[in-house]
Amino acid sequence: MKKKISVLGLGLLLIALLFTSCRPATTPQVIESTPRTVEVTRIVAGTPETIIITVEPEMPTPEPVDPERARTLILGFEGGQVASPDIANPFIPARWPMISAGLHQAVFESLFYLNYETGEIQPWQAESYSFNDDYTELAIKIRPGVEWSDGQPFTARDVAFTINMLKDNPTLINGPAMEQWVEAAEVVDDSTVRITLTAPHPRFVLDFLSVQVWGSIIVMPEHIWKDQDPTTFKNLDLEKGWPVATGPYRLTQASSTEFSYERRDDWWAAKTGFHALPAPEKLIFIEQGTEDRRAAMLSENQVDGLPALGLGAYRVAQARNPNVIAWLPEPPYAWIDPCPFYFEFNTTVQPWDDPEMRWAVSYAIDKEKLADLTNEGSGLTAQFLFSTYGALSSLLEKNQALFEQYPVMEYNPEKAIEIIESKGYTRGAGGFFVGPDGQPLTREIMGQTPSEGGVAWGISASLFTEYLAAVGIQVTPKLLSVSAYQDAASLGDFEARQAWLCGSVTDPYTTLNAFHANRAVPVGERTDYDKGAGRWVNEEYSAIVDQVAQLEPGDPHIDELFTQALEIFLRELPAFGLYQQVRIVPYTSTYWTNWPTSQNNYIHPPNWWMTTHQFLIELQPASQTASR
């Protein structure tokens, strides 16, 4: 069954609304014979500056296509070097970043895939799903013929086993959600699983089983996992053929910087006629490295695609290689990622447990300038913790009176100082505020290192330091590796942080639920690092979110409830939006074609998501020497 979701025609509508100057390219790109100048934003002496560089176009000479390279797809992966390349367990924190280095794109598969461009939930391992009338019971039908890579059939037993395993082990990723929402998962027959919910949850399939954002719950083979401790099982032994999965590729080599895969010609979808074998016979995922390295690899066709590239680096790569493409054919070239950046407080830490002091920090930050500098002049601010998708933007437009009452986008350093002084702080050494207790007003802001997270993290850290110093708050940036950042966020080991929120796509529930009181576990205990991790508690807000949870997306009562929740959130401000992820996802058509773009929008373009699977199986060789 295909389920229509109001995703707003995400790709093309965004282009029309945001980048009306973009138009289809009508002629192929040609490398110019003269040097070109390109604007690039760099950190110079700790300050973001725009500089002009000269690019010498590469003039490639015709060479025979290397047959081996023409059969191989090479993609970069983000997150830095993999500390534990021997872990293929998708339910433990140590999975990152290996999980996005090909495992959940090519080896694992999802029951369903949400397609942002069509708005449909596409059945894959499953054939269909249905709820009872009050959304307390879900039946999932398994697609006939799906097989594990060891030849065993994929059945309802595997689905029920995985859901119950997560429910019984709340320390696993998605464990708390299954413990909260699932009463029981039962096998009706080999092709049907029945999931009884603890309360109505019409979004259960969308939220957990269809790759709404980045990933979903991955079903594991009961015959492999039933005798294992899921909290410690590594799920990787190449000699045994582990991980056992249903995807079209098998892992053949794993290191801290590179992962290799071979196509499985016995893939179930090809055997049953459901889908042809993917064209690439081999996959290689390599650690993408610094921005300069990414641009060089793309320019020289050492990779076929990357998770992200800054605007200046993209222009450099495109100037050197005429086959480099992105979602949009013209500036800003970008796809709008559903995970906007935001600023979050740990509300258990004084004085940031005081909403007025949180508002002082918000007033101190020039969000428009921050958005532009982190996106090299093409930034978009985030008024709330939503992306700019149509249904969500409409909700915000309906609540402009609240944003006038709570001007969260206002840059007003004088107001920030006024609030701080009203709390009894006075200026001390260096112009920084000192509290009534004689302690300086300091702020440690956690982020990711630019080398792993990207240049924007360094720019943000520099600007936060500058803006808050101007209002008397002394800032110490705390820039961590991606894995260390995720760990600290999960445990609440931070005072404040810059983060991204992969929340709502179709209606407001997922973002609202990211700040539910049930996430406010004690500091030192784990919560989801990619949701609200600041331990904010407001029971009235959470009760409203619980009401939204029981309503089907599109229910007219949601608008009223959203307004009530938004008023509480803005008044207390446990977090505030910074800027949208205007993300350039670059590819090169030198070896492979049929990449997803705004003009070829059969699916959305991120290559670090599970949905990569859906365009990986549609790629076509650019050279006739590549065999299928």
Side-chain angles (χ1 to χ4, degrees):
M1 179 187 73
K2 291 185 177 181
K3 177 71 174 176
K4 195 77 172 182
I5 300 291
S6 177
V7 190
L8 61 115
L10 296 177
L12 295 179
L13 182 57
L14 285 174
I15 297 164
L17 292 176
L18 301 174
F19 308 125
T20 54
S21 63
C22 299
R23 59 182 182 278
T26 56
T27 58
Q29 293 176 288
V30 178
I31 297 180
E32 300 173 6
S33 59
T34 56
R36 295 174 58 185
T37 58
V38 177
E39 290 187 358
V40 182
T41 298
R42 306 282 194 191
I43 300 294
V44 179
T47 302
E49 294 182 2
T50 298
I51 61 175
I52 306 296
I53 66 171
T54 300
V55 178
E56 293 285 349
E58 296 180 355
M59 301 300 292
T61 57
E63 294 180 359
V65 175
D66 175 7
E68 181 71 14
R69 176 66 177 91
R71 289 192 289 266
T72 304
L73 175 69
I74 305 175
L75 296 172
F77 69 84
E78 62 184 357
Q81 295 189 10
V82 177
S84 303
D86 60 341
I87 293 178
N89 181 338
F91 306 121
I92 58 178
R95 67 180 184 165
W96 178 265
M98 183 176 173
I99 186 72
S100 283
L103 279 181
H104 81 166
Q105 298 101 314
V107 175
F108 299 134
E109 293 183 308
S110 184
L111 287 165
F112 304 91
Y113 291 96
L114 173 64
N115 186 318
Y116 279 30
E117 296 306 304
T118 65
E120 294 178 344
I121 291 178
Q122 177 68 45
W124 197 258
Q125 291 172 323
E127 190 172 51
S128 65
Y129 71 90
S130 60
F131 285 98
N132 65 352
D133 289 343
D134 66 357
Y135 296 101
T136 58
E137 191 173 286
L138 167 67
I140 299 175
K141 284 285 189 181
I142 304 304
R143 185 176 299 281
V146 180
E147 289 181 346
W148 295 105
S149 52
D150 62 1
Q152 295 294 311
F154 176 97
T155 73
R157 294 183 63 86
D158 300 304
V159 179
F161 167 79
T162 301
I163 298 296
N164 287 326
M165 178 186 70
L166 294 173
K167 176 180 180 294
D168 294 340
N169 292 273
T171 62
L172 297 177
I173 292 170
N174 283 311
M178 295 303 98
E179 182 183 41
Q180 176 188 357
W181 287 108
V182 175
E183 182 69 33
E186 303 168 293
V187 176
V188 177
D189 53 46
D190 280 352
S191 63
T192 310
V193 61
R194 180 173 57 240
I195 301 174
T196 303
L197 304 176
T198 57
H201 196 338
R203 300 169 184 80
F204 189 89
V205 172
L206 176 66
D207 284 357
F208 303 117
L209 304 177
S210 63
V211 198
Q212 181 177 204
V213 178
W214 185 75
S216 66
I217 290 176
I218 300 169
V219 176
M220 291 291 114
E222 181 187 28
H223 64 282
I224 300 294
W225 281 66
K226 64 181 179 180
D227 297 322
Q228 305 290 343
D229 179 351
T231 65
T232 59
F233 182 41
K234 291 186 176 182
N235 194 36
L236 196 153
D237 187 324
L238 298 184
E239 291 185 2
K240 292 182 178 180
W242 294 356
V244 171
T246 66
Y249 292 88
R250 64 169 54 88
L251 179 66
T252 58
Q253 182 267 333
S255 71
S256 62
T257 58
E258 185 172 310
F259 297 83
S260 299
Y261 304 84
E262 290 183 354
R263 189 178 67 190
R264 290 180 48 224
D265 291 348
D266 62 346
W267 181 40
W268 68 268
K271 287 173 64 176
T272 61
F274 180 64
H275 199 285
L277 287 171
E281 296 179 15
K282 295 183 179 181
L283 303 180
I284 298 175
F285 280 75
I286 61 175
E287 198 273 312
Q288 64 178 2
T290 64
E291 188 94 338
D292 289 343
R293 180 172 184 252
R294 296 176 215 170
M297 289 192 299
L298 200 66
S299 299
E300 298 166 10
N301 294 309
Q302 294 177 7
V303 293
D304 300 300
L306 294 167
L309 202 59
L311 179 59
Y314 178 80
R315 284 171 168 158
V316 169
Q318 194 178 55
R320 290 174 174 167
N321 185 340
N323 294 325
V324 171
I325 60 172
W327 181 251
L328 296 178
E330 295 185 359
Y333 309 108
W335 175 69
I336 306 297
D337 189 288
C339 308
F341 278 95
Y342 71 106
F343 191 103
E344 182 178 29
F345 301 88
N346 187 332
T347 59
T348 69
V349 177
Q350 294 182 340
W352 315 114
D353 56 345
D354 180 349
E356 289 187 275
M357 289 297 287
R358 300 197 288 264
W359 265 99
V361 173
S362 177
Y363 281 125
I365 295 174
D366 186 340
K367 301 171 187 70
E368 289 190 8
K369 184 177 179 182
L370 178 67
D372 272 340
L373 285 175
T374 51
N375 291 279
E376 301 183 54
S378 61
L380 295 169
T381 56
Q383 186 178 40
F384 186 59
L385 280 61
F386 286 161
S387 193
T388 54
Y389 299 164
L392 303 176
S393 294
S394 295
L395 269 178
L396 299 185
E397 290 170 6
K398 293 175 183 177
N399 286 281
Q400 284 308 302
L402 277 180
F403 288 105
E404 292 174 6
Q405 181 181 355
Y406 301 103
V408 71
M409 298 307 297
E410 181 178 341
Y411 174 51
N412 191 336
E414 293 77 15
K415 182 67 173 177
I417 293 170
E418 178 184 327
I419 292 172
I420 296 169
E421 289 178 338
S422 74
K423 301 295 179 178
Y425 288 89
T426 57
R427 296 281 188 172
F432 294 109
F433 278 112
V434 176
D437 58 0
Q439 296 299 312
L441 182 57
T442 61
R443 163 107 292 176
E444 184 179 78
I445 301 178
M446 185 174 74
Q448 296 180 11
T449 60
S451 61
E452 289 194 14
V455 175
W457 289 90
I459 295 174
S460 295
S462 175
L463 291 174
F464 291 151
T465 302
E466 174 188 333
Y467 291 144
L468 294 180
V471 299
I473 302 174
Q474 189 168 7
V475 169
T476 302
K478 181 182 179 181
L479 301 183
L480 305 175
S481 68
V482 173
S483 59
Y485 171 92
Q486 293 175 352
D487 196 53
S490 175
L491 294 169
D493 183 19
F494 66 95
E495 295 180 11
R497 66 169 181 152
Q498 178 177 342
W500 66 92
L501 180 64
C502 298
S504 294
V505 174
T506 61
D507 84 332
Y509 171 73
T510 305
T511 291
L512 295 179
N513 190 51
F515 295 89
H516 194 287
N518 61 20
R519 300 187 187 280
V521 299
V523 170
E525 294 183 16
R526 290 192 180 277
T527 189
D528 294 325
Y529 74 86
D530 57 349
K531 305 293 189 294
R535 277 64 178 174
W536 177 60
V537 175
N538 184 290
E539 296 297 348
E540 181 185 1
Y541 172 92
S542 297
I544 294 169
V545 174
D546 289 339
Q547 292 180 64
V548 176
Q550 299 185 39
L551 299 176
E552 185 176 10
D555 189 300
H557 293 97
I558 291 176
D559 285 13
E560 178 184 351
L561 291 170
F562 173 73
T563 297
Q564 295 172 22
L566 179 64
E567 195 280 331
I568 296 170
F569 193 95
L570 292 176
R571 175 173 15 106
E572 296 212 358
L573 209 67
F576 55 85
L578 293 172
Y579 57 90
Q580 302 291 340
Q581 278 207 61
V582 182
R583 188 156 179 156
I584 298 175
V585 184
Y587 295 105
T588 172
S589 58
T590 301
Y591 292 104
W592 300 100
T593 62
N594 202 32
W595 298 105
T597 68
S598 62
Q599 299 163 300
N600 186 35
N601 63 320
Y602 62 93
I603 191 74
H604 40 302
N607 51 53
W608 62 101
W609 288 21
M610 280 190 81
T611 44
T612 303
H613 175 286
Q614 296 289 281
F615 66 80
L616 176 61
I617 60 178
E618 302 295 340
L619 294 178
Q620 298 297 323
S623 169
Q624 294 302 312
T625 63
S627 62
R628 297 191 69 170

